[in-house]
């Protein structure tokens, strides 16, 4: 099959979270299955042009009632042999941020930037003389891809191409003022007709959900949860309506990047059979974060965007969060690596100065992320909701037992400790609150000190878990075939 991934992120070129990891790894896995898969990405300033090849000639893209011109560069996903095309447009993408900056968290011209990009995907294929069987779009920035395919490209060479739209996060919908509609170059009847309308505004995610031939999200549990008012973020009705076309396909783990036995970023490597390297990583982690070097204290780690989705309010909220009582009442150490909401960054800095057993590093670092995964005993992920979540899967592979809210992908990948039999791979709670985080961390710490044999068994079980992208890619293959059968019927 010819498959085009239309995406605003792909590792290592442009990444704000797991979307980038997921898209690149999926593209690589589909390539291994023999498909002609290619990726198209905006050329943000942060993408270094020096290793890329410029394609000759400009690319004309219909916008509003006219046309805009851009350039195209070609590169390759490192190690995966997948071509990546970069759409270059100085006014739209010649800036540092992907979606916004420190001063403007969501660029006001995002509807123009991403409608242009979505439309450019089709023009790129024309330029290449390559017709995808499937346009696979991801999250709100590419929500217009199915709309363009269905309406603007209805009678063209793409009329037999199917569209698949994947929700990586329903919490970000791309909602903008209706006044932006004319940039899209679509007739006004599509404002309602293509599901763009949302409480008098434009909703790019919603239009993708309404218009794509098939829908998916990144775990089976999340696929069910988003059809309920509690986690449907206002779109549960539409998702229930499209239920027959929606599947949950669990993400995998990139085992070249995340394997404790071969991980070059670590000071020592290890396996389930010999965990001595993990103990060395723990010492290195304590040193790196300026904590007392104690081999026998339970060390709790976190690597996260500091956003409400991740449960940081319940954990670090200044008046009521559970982090302070956890650090005061329990003989533990706690390290956090993250960046995001300003209040939370400030609070983490304050706590690092106040609590002797708590240290946070504000910023983004792949090396430190690997060290936290390897050197911690437990990995805390109290997400309010979690479409899939990659860090708990990394943790399992690194023998770092996850402490998680039983939601979305966390529920699908972690199994709860049973203190009679010793079974399970982590510690789970059912309702997010400061109290439930406190109690569940306390439970894990209790097991660490009192049920050493159980914990050793859980580590072995966790490290044996397989989260393979090849399995996910086969499920996407089926989804693509379904989508194609539906439109070619
Ligand atoms: P989300 O995409 O919602 O943030 P995921 O768990 O799917 O959550 O993916 C997060 C990805 O981003 C992981 O690869 C994680 O290691 C990485 N990450 C998040 N914050 C940081 C950070 N401060 N430093 C390094 N990596 C980070
Ligand atoms: C989103 C979700 C996360 C998921 C990732 C990759 O960022 O928040 O749960 O793992 O996308 O699909």
């Amino acid at each position: 099959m010819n498959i085009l991934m239309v995406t605003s992120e792909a590792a290592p070129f442009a990444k704000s979270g797991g979307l980038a990891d997921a898209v690149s790894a999926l593209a690589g896995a589909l390539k291994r299955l023999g498909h002609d898969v290619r990726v198209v990405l905006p050329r943000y300033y942060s993408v270094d042009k020096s290793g890329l090849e410029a394609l000759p000639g400009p690319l004309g893209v219909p916008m509003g009632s006219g046309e805009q011109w851009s350039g195209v560069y070609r590169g390759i996903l490192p190690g995966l042999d997948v071509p990546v095309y970069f759409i270059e447009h100085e006014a739209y993408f010649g800036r540092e941020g992907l979606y916004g900056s420190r001063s403007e968290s969501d660029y006001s011209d995002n509807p123009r930037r991403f409608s242009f990009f979505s439309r450019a995907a089709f023009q790129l294929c024309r330029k290449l003389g390559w017709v995808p069987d499937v346009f696979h779009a991801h999250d709100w920035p590419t929500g217009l891809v199915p709309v363009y395919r269905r309406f603007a490209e209805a009678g063209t060479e793409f009329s037999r191409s199917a569209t698949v739209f994947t929700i990586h996060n329903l919490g970000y919908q791309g909602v903008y003022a209706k006044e932006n509609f004319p940039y899209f170059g679509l007739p006004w009847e599509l404002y309602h007709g293509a599901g763009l309308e949302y409480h008098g505004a434009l909703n790019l995610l919603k239009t993708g959900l309404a218009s794509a031939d098939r829908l998916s999200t990144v775990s089976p549990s999340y696929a069910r949860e988003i059809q309920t008012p509690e986690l449907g973020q206002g779109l549960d009705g539409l998702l229930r309506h499209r239920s027959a076309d929606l599947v949950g396909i669990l993400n995998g783990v990139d085992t070249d990047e995340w394997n404790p036995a071969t991980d070059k970023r670590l000071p020592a490597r290890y396996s389930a059979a010999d965990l001595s390297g993990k103990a060395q990583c723990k010492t290195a982690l304590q040193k790196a974060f300026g904590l007392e070097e104690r081999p026998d204290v339970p060390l709790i780690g976190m690597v996260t965007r500091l956003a409400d989705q991740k449960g940081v309010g319940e954990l670090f909220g200044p008046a009521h969060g559970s982090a302070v009582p956890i650090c005061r009442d329990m003989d533990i150490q706690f390290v956090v690596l993250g960046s995001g909401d300003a209040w939370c960054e400030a609070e983490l800095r304050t706590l690092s100065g106040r609590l002797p057993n708590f240290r946070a590093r504000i910023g983004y670092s792949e090396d430190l992320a690997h060290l936290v995964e390897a050197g911690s005993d437990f990995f805390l992920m109290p997400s309010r909701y979690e479409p899939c979540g990659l860090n708990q899967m990394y943790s399992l592979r690194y023998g770092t037992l996850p402490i998680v809210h039983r939601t979305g992908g966390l529920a699908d990948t972690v199994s709860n400790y049973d203190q009679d039999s010793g079974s399970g791979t982590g510690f789970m709670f059912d309702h997010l609150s400061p109290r439930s985080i406190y109690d569940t961390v306390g439970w894990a710490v209790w097991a660490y000190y009192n049920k050493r044999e159980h914990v050793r068994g859980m580590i072995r079980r966790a490290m044996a878990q397989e989260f393979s992208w090849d399995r996910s890619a086969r499920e996407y293959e089926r989804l693509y075939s379904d989508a194609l059968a539906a439109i070619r019927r």
Side-chain angles (χ1 to χ4, degrees), residues 378-394:
F378 299 104
F379 193 90
L380 181 57
M381 221 165 149
S383 309
R384 181 175 313 286
Y385 69 93
E386 196 59 79
C388 177
L390 298 171
N391 279 305
Q392 83 283 8
M393 297 196 276
Y394 302 155

Side-chain angles (χ1 to χ4, degrees), residues 9 16-23 138-139 166-170 172 217-219 222 249 251 305 309-310 381 383 385-393 409 469 476:
E9 298 188 27
S16 80
L19 168 66
D21 298 318
V23 169
H138 301 264
D139 275 354
T166 297
I167 307 162
H168 294 263
N169 197 331
L170 199 65
Y172 301 84
T217 186
V218 287
S219 69
Y222 195 59
I249 302 177
N251 287 331
R305 285 186 292 118
Q309 175 198 345
K310 302 296 180 181
M381 221 165 149
S383 309
Y385 69 93
E386 196 59 79
C388 177
L390 298 171
N391 279 305
Q392 83 283 8
M393 297 196 276
W469 270 112
Y476 280 103

Side-chain angles (χ1 to χ4, degrees), residues 329-342:
D329 301 350
M330 303 181 199
D331 189 14
I332 54 125
Q333 292 176 334
F334 193 166
V335 298
V336 182
L337 167 65
S339 61
D341 292 354

Side-chain angles (χ1 to χ4, degrees), residues 306-346:
L306 303 172
D308 180 65
Q309 175 198 345
K310 302 296 180 181
V312 294
E314 283 74 5
L315 192 52
F316 301 119
H320 63 281
S322 51
V324 172
I326 286 171
C327 290
R328 284 222 181 110
D329 301 350
M330 303 181 199
D331 189 14
I332 54 125
Q333 292 176 334
F334 193 166
V335 298
V336 182
L337 167 65
S339 61
D341 292 354
W343 76 264
C344 194
E345 293 189 352

Side-chain angles (χ1 to χ4, degrees), residues 129-153:
W130 182 73
V131 178
D133 295 293
V134 178
F135 287 90
H136 187 165
H138 301 264
D139 275 354
W140 70 266
T142 55
L144 283 168
V145 168
V147 181
Y148 285 133
R149 163 38 217 106
R150 186 173 287 250
F151 301 102
E153 303 284 356

